[in-house]
């Protein structure tokens, strides 16, 4: 907690925050973003890139980031990917670019606000609203979350394009906790936010204690099982036994 707070004290500082043009990470191996809850005007976005390795249950991808060399501000992001098919060599192709795919991002640039922390904070609100109505914006985000590979977000989408049999309550708890996670804060902040959506996201102490070193070949497998454990905390009791069949990507991930 003290490290998170120390970090926030720097990047949300009224004088230091606007000096950070962007924060680019890759730790979660997915096409994600974060936003700072109390950043000053002009603070840059936090963007997380997808994985180049398919071991994280994704198609490999990389990004081309366009930025202003004088300010460091991000102007656009373009994603390139390869859809893996058996033993065929990967064929790299253009996937999407941020401005033409998400109108809220284009609006931010055209109004002069740019791809700032504020734009991504508004994007988080827009994503949840899109999910509620079964909108295309959430579907697009879910499609690229693991680079056109079935994933948790496609499983909880409301639209007919991704129509799983999960209950609306379970989908809301999952999407709500996801939206809570994109807001940078302490673990206590995340738990309180997720609880407002009815989600229990407490840490599994036994699983955490069993976590291998980052270089262990067991890490990817245990990561999948941890995610399944997260699902069982969120799903209705009647849904838990059938989760791997409802969300088929979970079943594939657990297969030897």
């Amino acid at each position: 907690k003290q490290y998170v707070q120390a970090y926030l004290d720097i990047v949300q500082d009224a004088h230091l925050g606007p000096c950070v043009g962007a924060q680019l990470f890759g730790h979660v191996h997915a096409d994600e973003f974060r936003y700072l809850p109390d950043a000053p005007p002009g603070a840059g976005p936090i963007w997380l890139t997808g994985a180049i390795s398919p071991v994280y249950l994704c198609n490999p991808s990389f990004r081309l980031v366009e930025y202003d060399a004088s300010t460091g501000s991000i102007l656009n992001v373009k994603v390139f990917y390869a859809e893996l098919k058996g033993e065929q060599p990967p064929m790299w192709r253009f996937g999407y670019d941020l401005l033409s795919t998400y109108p809220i991002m284009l609006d931010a640039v055209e109004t002069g606000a740019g791809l700032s922390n504020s734009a991504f904070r508004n994007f988080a609100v827009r994503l949840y609203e899109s999910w509620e109505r079964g909108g295309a914006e959430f579907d697009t985000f879910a499609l690229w979350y693991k680079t056109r590979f079935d994933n948790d977000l496609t499983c909880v989408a409301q639209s007919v394009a991704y129509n799983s049999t999960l209950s609306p309550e379970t989908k809301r708890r999952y999407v709500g906790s996801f939206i809570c996670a994109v807001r940078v804060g302490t673990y206590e902040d995340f738990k309180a936010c997720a609880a407002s959506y009815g989600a229990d996201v407490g840490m599994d102490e036994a699983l955490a204690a069993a976590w291998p070193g980052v270089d262990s070949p067991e890490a990817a497998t245990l990561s999948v099982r941890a995610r399944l454990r997260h699902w069982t905390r969120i799903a209705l009791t009647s849904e838990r036994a059938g989760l791997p069949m409802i969300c088929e990507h979970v079943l594939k991930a657990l297969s030897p």
Side-chain angles (χ1 to χ4, degrees):
K1 180 178 180 179
Q2 66 269 30
Y3 300 114
V4 174
Q5 192 56 58
Y7 160 76
L8 289 174
D9 288 344
I10 295 171
V11 295
Q12 295 190 142
D13 180 83
H15 301 289
L16 298 177
C19 297
V20 183
Q23 299 179 58
L24 307 178
F25 301 99
H27 181 65
V28 298
H29 314 294
D31 199 326
E32 283 195 29
F33 66 95
R34 298 287 186 271
Y35 72 83
L36 301 168
D38 299 305
I46 303 174
W47 196 250
L48 295 83
T49 191
I52 196 73
S53 170
V55 301
Y56 297 102
L57 304 178
C58 61
N59 284 310
S61 67
F62 66 89
R63 286 179 176 159
L64 174 65
V65 178
E66 299 176 0
Y67 69 99
D68 186 318
S70 62
T71 65
S73 299
I74 291 183
L75 304 175
N76 197 7
V77 176
K78 297 180 179 180
V79 173
F80 297 82
Y81 78 105
E83 193 166 356
L84 299 183
K85 298 180 179 179
E87 297 182 359
Q88 298 179 20
M91 298 292 292
W92 293 96
R93 67 191 75 178
F94 172 72
Y96 77 93
D97 79 74
L98 200 64
L99 298 190
S100 64
T101 302
Y102 299 110
I104 192 171
M105 297 299 181
L106 181 59
D107 290 345
V109 171
E110 290 183 339
T111 57
L115 295 177
S116 63
N117 178 79
S118 177
F120 280 82
R121 180 172 187 158
N122 294 337
F123 185 43
V125 175
R126 179 75 67 88
L127 278 181
Y128 188 78
E129 292 173 346
S130 176
W131 170 81
E132 285 187 306
R133 63 176 185 273
E137 205 159 25
F138 183 88
D139 283 1
T140 299
F141 185 80
L143 175 69
W144 289 105
Y145 179 66
K146 285 289 186 176
T147 320
R148 304 181 69 88
F149 196 95
D150 287 344
N151 60 78
D152 292 353
L153 294 185
T154 59
C155 193
V156 298
Q158 299 272 55
S159 72
V160 295
Y162 306 112
N163 189 21
S164 76
T165 57
L166 287 174
S167 65
E169 298 94 329
T170 294
K171 290 183 176 184
R172 180 177 182 274
R173 284 194 288 268
Y174 193 95
V175 175
S177 63
F178 177 82
I179 294 298
C180 291
V182 304
R183 179 186 186 274
V184 179
T186 65
Y187 177 57
E188 290 75 17
D189 294 335
F190 171 60
K191 282 188 65 177
C193 179
S196 70
Y197 293 93
D200 171 16
V201 293
M203 183 180 295
D204 189 314
E205 299 293 346
L207 191 60
W211 202 271
V214 292
D215 295 326
S216 168
E218 300 176 15
T221 299
L222 197 54
S223 175
V224 170
R225 296 190 179 278
R227 190 164 66 253
L228 184 58
R229 175 60 176 157
H230 178 58
W231 270 105
T232 60
R233 286 180 177 272
I234 288 175
L236 299 176
T237 303
S238 59
E239 295 173 324
R240 291 173 185 170
L243 271 174
M245 298 305 296
I246 295 171
C247 297
E248 293 183 0
H249 69 285
V250 177
L251 180 62
K252 294 175 185 176
L254 292 173
S255 299

